[in-house]
Amino acid sequence: MTSELAATGNSEEFLTVPEVSKRYRMHSTSVSGLCRAGELPGAYRNGKGRGHWRIPVGAINAYVAKRSQQAA
């Protein structure tokens, strides 16, 4: 995790798709789709080309809160 923070110059915590899936009980395909669609600001792929997604915790929390408000 430390190397990810140093690489981005950001102190925010990042999660992988499997971590988001488990923590927020979402299917991994849905999480990846949200990243591709730009619904999770700050999400990026590490490495070259088709690397693994890194998702800011703040972005996923904001998305979940927005969805909760829409459902209510």
Side-chain angles (χ1 to χ4, degrees):
M1 183 79 65
T2 305
S3 61
E4 291 173 25
L5 297 178
T8 61
N10 193 342
S11 62
E12 186 170 12
E13 180 184 3
F14 287 81
L15 301 174
T16 62
V17 170
E19 290 170 336
V20 171
S21 296
K22 185 174 180 180
R23 187 181 290 189
Y24 295 93
R25 297 181 183 206
M26 298 171 70
H27 197 278
S28 60
T29 305
S30 298
V31 177
S32 296
L34 291 170
C35 293
R36 280 192 303 278
E39 293 288 326
L40 302 174
Y44 69 96
R45 287 183 183 238
N46 69 340
K48 292 184 178 181
R50 299 177 55 100
H52 298 283
W53 284 104
R54 297 294 185 251
I55 305 152
V57 172
I60 191 69
N61 286 338
Y63 176 81
V64 170
K66 183 175 86 171
R67 296 289 293 176
S68 295
Q69 286 181 337
Q70 290 176 351

